[in-house]
Amino acid sequence: MPETNKLAENIAAIRQKIQDGAEKLDNSKAVYEFKKSFLDSKAGEIGQLMKEMKNIPKEQRADYGKAVNELKEWAVQLFDDMDVKLKEAELKRRYEKEKIDVTMPAVETETGNLHPITQIIEQLIDVFAGMGFEVYEGTEVENDYYNFTALNTPQDHPARDMQDTFYLSPEFLLRTQTSAGQIHVMENKKPPIKILSPGRVFRSDDDSTHSPMFGQMEGLVVDEHITLSDLQGMLDLFVQKIYGEGTYTRLRPSYFPFTEPSVEVDVSCFECGGKGCRLCKGTGWIEILGAGIVNKKVLENCGIDSEKYSGLAFGIGLERTAMLKYGINNIKTLFESDLRALKQIDDK
Ligand code: DAH
């Protein structure tokens, strides 16, 4: 039978042990482990004291139990207090560590923008899609027939000199104009036809306003009763959307083998409103594209009844449109990929 005095000593020793050990604890996890070593109901030292109960003489049992309970309550309170305090400090440290300075300047993320030519293509498609045009993309390698002959420009025609051609072979060439696409469309589709055809074209030409490779956007409408007024109506809408409200077009007689009559289209100067300035060279007008009523011979080459149907066509130079709209004076700016220049043009 254990001596009662010995047990009282035990209780005092455990209390001292807890007190000494607790002083050294500096985090809640250590408190948890330390607490377990005393208060775990099976392995804990205080739990062991409880188990001694059965060996205590009956008359002393109540006092012993009371003493052990007091120790237990004291220890539980001590550990709970420590736990609260340490957890508070730990949270504070964590907040400090994870603190975000909302006044810090944000890390800059670079955003790109579309190439000016792509922007122009998208704007043009947007304008003409609104009028019911569909997009047809042709091929850059064409044969002589589609690029010239079917467009009423046979082998010995003087108009071939207007377009210095890159020939790949006697038959194949790099298309000099998106007009070649007109023939493919008319061969494959019966009127009504309303297409827009953007793409690259190639000519042996190179100076500050010409490049051997450049972009065009062809437009073709074939239906009954198509006239020059339809053409001008569409182009007026186009210049208002691209060059600004209040601009309008004028048609001047011109010559293209595939249109009759052919016109050169000018837009009223959007810089000076028509009074005359450097951009319009004092004339109030800026030449923007070629167009006309599709030559009957071209319709017939594609098997379209030229008595029943008529057509209008136009060809817009993409670089020229971009240069005029964004004030670019050298076409090379559009091909050099110099971000300092290209980033300035973001025309959403
Ligand atoms: N293909 C012509 C050129 O490249 C532009 C052109 C003029 C296209 C009149 C047309 C048109 O469709 O009707 O110079």
Side-chain angles (χ1 to χ4, degrees), residues 275-344:
K275 287 190 219 86
C277 66
R278 258 180 55 185
L279 185 66
C280 61
K281 301 194 182 80
T283 65
W285 295 96
I286 301 167
E287 185 182 317
I288 50 164
L289 59 96
I293 291 297
V294 181
N295 194 315
K296 281 175 183 285
K297 285 189 201 156
V298 175
L299 294 179
E300 282 154 20
N301 286 341
C302 302
I304 291 178
D305 181 352
S306 64
E307 291 302 314
K308 186 171 177 202
Y309 296 106
S310 54
L312 64 83
F314 53 87
I316 305 171
L318 299 179
E319 285 73 13
R320 181 163 169 74
T321 308
M323 287 167 80
L324 285 172
K325 184 163 187 194
Y326 304 125
I328 299 166
N329 51 24
N330 191 330
I331 196 168
K332 302 293 182 297
T333 307
L334 293 168
F335 299 116
E336 279 171 352
S337 304
D338 184 343
L339 291 182
R340 288 170 304 179
L342 299 180
K343 273 190 148 182
Q344 295 177 42

Side-chain angles (χ1 to χ4, degrees), residues 70-232:
E70 266 171 19
L71 173 67
K72 190 179 168 190
E73 271 163 32
W74 169 81
V76 167
Q77 188 64 45
L78 178 83
F79 289 132
D80 283 355
D81 289 351
M82 282 184 79
D83 192 54
V84 169
K85 245 199 223 143
L86 286 170
K87 277 200 171 131
E88 218 169 75
E90 279 161 16
L91 207 60
K92 221 171 170 180
R93 275 202 298 276
R94 199 179 134 195
Y95 283 152
E96 207 53 47
K97 210 169 108 198
E98 295 177 3
K99 202 153 110 185
I100 295 169
D101 182 356
V102 290
T103 64
M104 285 248 294
V107 181
E108 261 189 64
T109 47
E110 290 234 10
T111 53
N113 58 294
L114 296 174
H115 190 276
I117 295 300
T118 308
Q119 296 183 44
I120 288 290
I121 292 175
E122 292 195 349
Q123 290 168 27
L124 289 177
I125 290 178
D126 211 42
V127 173
F128 286 102
M131 292 186 246
F133 281 72
E134 286 171 48
V135 173
Y136 163 82
E137 283 188 67
T139 52
E140 291 171 6
V141 173
E142 271 293 359
N143 67 22
D144 192 273
Y145 177 78
Y146 287 97
N147 195 76
F148 289 125
T149 309
L151 287 161
N152 194 35
T153 322
Q155 201 59 238
D156 51 357
H157 199 288
R160 286 209 180 196
D161 297 341
M162 288 160 69
Q163 302 179 1
D164 241 334
T165 310
F166 291 114
Y167 278 91
L168 303 173
S169 70
E171 192 191 349
F172 290 101
L173 46 82
L174 293 177
R175 68 176 170 192
T176 61
Q177 49 191 352
T178 44
S179 307
Q182 288 188 23
I183 306 299
H184 289 286
V185 171
M186 288 191 282
E187 277 182 352
N188 291 304
K189 194 170 162 20
K190 294 286 144 251
I193 291 169
K194 223 174 187 185
I195 59 108
L196 201 60
S197 187
R200 289 192 188 96
V201 299
F202 307 84
R203 290 181 203 177
S204 181
D205 216 351
D206 200 1
D207 59 34
S208 69
T209 53
H210 295 87
S211 152
M213 187 278 290
F214 60 103
Q216 281 190 334
M217 176 93 68
E218 194 80 10
L220 173 72
V221 178
V222 184
D223 204 345
E224 294 179 31
H225 316 299
I226 294 293
T227 68
L228 269 186
S229 317
D230 297 310
L231 174 71
Q232 191 161 22

Side-chain angles (χ1 to χ4, degrees), residues 4 11 53 56 58-70:
T4 319
I11 290 177
M53 192 74 100
I56 302 286
K58 250 195 188 140
E59 61 282 7
Q60 293 172 14
R61 229 175 249 173
D63 286 344
Y64 179 76
K66 200 172 156 219
V68 174
N69 265 333
E70 266 171 19

Side-chain angles (χ1 to χ4, degrees), residues 7-37:
L7 288 169
E9 262 171 40
N10 257 355
I11 290 177
I14 290 176
R15 182 188 276 263
Q16 192 59 47
K17 205 168 157 191
I18 292 175
Q19 211 138 31
D20 294 346
E23 272 169 24
K24 293 181 197 122
L25 303 178
D26 66 352
N27 66 77
S28 57
K29 191 159 175 268
V31 170
Y32 174 78
E33 294 299 339
F34 191 60
K35 178 179 169 183
K36 224 164 74 171
S37 68

